[in-house]
Amino acid sequence: MQAIRAALCGLARSIVVRLRRIVDRCCLERPTAQHASRVSFHAGSILLTAFRARNRAVKEMTDRNAAGQTGVLTADAIVAIVIAAAATEAFINELAENIGQYRQNAWDWAPDAITSDMSAAADAIFDLEFIHRSVTEKYAAASAKLGKRFDKGGNPYQDFVRLMELRNAIMHIKPVRPSEAHSGEAITDELARQKRAMPREVIGLPWFDRLQTPETARWACNAARTIILGLLDLIPETSSDPLGLVKNLYQNHVGFQSEDWV
């Protein structure tokens, strides 16, 4: 039944995309998306929450090591993974809405605020949201419309994909048979090879527990911030520069720079 359901969902998405292309080719009028007159960016605050969890993980482990306690776990690493992933999703959706808002409401007083590439990127994000595609696909499509598609075989995109897959593994965690491997196992093993998560052969813990290190928390936060900055770097500066404050936040906020910040 699950295979049939997945096949039907894929067929439905394909039909929707084809219908939208037919509408475009026939020059038929599509309903115009209505945007709010004001858009607030919350993704930055969400990501800073993840960085706070990272800082707590670092401090907890530092304090325990100073007290001679070894082999301990820090649950804030899990918090950092989940919240950092959530921040990337919030950012891409708010980015599209912000561009749409300027396109709809500021064309008369700031006509150069939105370039054609920015407009195309927003439309690509809206289209993928409409057919319920993944967050990683939104970033790939937006980067392509902005002139330089992320390299899917390298970083920062690969770390971003791992972050989202790890978030899904945590949020949809379930028991597996002894003969099966959980989806989070392979990612945790890869992070262990990078000396971020704990290695299974030394510790003998489940993959979820092996993630609970300060290094994993650092990796998750950096993966989220790097992919966001990578997309912002592709957005051209205009005289109105509607995303100037957003860029400055991700580039310069002390919370992204210091592990002592609380």
Side-chain angles (χ1 to χ4, degrees), residues 105-143:
N105 301 314
W107 62 269
D108 54 343
W109 58 270
D112 64 339
I114 303 301
T115 67
S116 59
D117 286 349
M118 292 167 66
S119 185
D123 285 339
I125 296 167
F126 288 135
D127 285 346
L128 290 170
E129 175 69 16
F130 181 73
I131 58 176
H132 306 293
R133 302 310 294 247
S134 69
V135 177
T136 54
E137 289 180 85
K138 292 179 182 179
Y139 275 81
S143 66

Side-chain angles (χ1 to χ4, degrees), residues 44-261:
S45 296
I46 297 171
L47 187 55
L48 285 169
T49 301
F51 271 76
R52 283 191 176 98
R54 176 207 66 181
N55 294 352
R56 291 195 303 269
V58 171
K59 185 177 187 304
E60 179 182 10
M61 199 59 65
T62 300
D63 291 347
R64 289 185 173 186
N65 287 339
Q69 302 175 18
T70 59
V72 293
L73 309 177
T74 174
D76 273 313
I78 303 298
V79 177
I81 293 168
V82 174
I83 301 301
T88 64
E89 183 170 4
F91 172 81
I92 198 71
N93 292 335
E94 289 179 343
L95 175 67
E97 187 62 30
N98 187 265
I99 292 172
Q101 178 258 331
Y102 265 87
R103 186 170 56 186
Q104 174 181 287
N105 301 314
W107 62 269
D108 54 343
W109 58 270
D112 64 339
I114 303 301
T115 67
S116 59
D117 286 349
M118 292 167 66
S119 185
D123 285 339
I125 296 167
F126 288 135
D127 285 346
L128 290 170
E129 175 69 16
F130 181 73
I131 58 176
H132 306 293
R133 302 310 294 247
S134 69
V135 177
T136 54
E137 289 180 85
K138 292 179 182 179
Y139 275 81
S143 66
K145 295 297 183 182
L146 290 168
K148 188 177 181 181
R149 181 186 289 273
F150 287 124
D151 177 9
K152 291 187 175 182
N155 285 327
Y157 193 80
Q158 270 296 303
D159 271 345
F160 171 49
V161 170
R162 289 192 189 100
L163 173 65
M164 299 308 293
E165 290 177 347
L166 195 54
R167 175 263 177 203
N168 292 339
I170 292 169
M171 295 301 294
H172 305 291
I173 198 167
K174 60 182 180 181
V176 296
R177 298 184 182 91
S179 59
E180 298 175 342
H182 194 281
S183 58
E185 193 93 44
I187 304 171
T188 305
D189 288 344
E190 175 59 29
L191 292 175
R193 283 191 287 271
Q194 298 173 11
K195 302 189 182 304
R196 294 186 170 109
M198 299 180 192
R200 71 162 80 188
E201 60 272 12
V202 175
I203 305 298
L205 292 173
W207 66 270
F208 182 87
D209 295 331
R210 293 192 290 121
L211 289 171
Q212 298 183 39
T213 69
E215 291 76 16
T216 299
R218 289 186 179 111
W219 166 81
C221 291
N222 290 337
R225 180 173 177 245
T226 301
I227 197 70
I228 290 172
L229 284 172
L231 198 60
L232 285 172
D233 285 344
L234 298 177
I235 296 175
E237 292 186 7
T238 62
S239 58
S240 302
D241 201 9
L243 296 171
L245 292 177
V246 176
K247 292 178 183 179
N248 184 63
L249 168 70
Y250 286 99
Q251 291 169 349
N252 302 314
H253 194 288
V254 64
F256 297 135
Q257 313 294 335
S258 172
E259 292 187 346
D260 296 324
W261 181 78

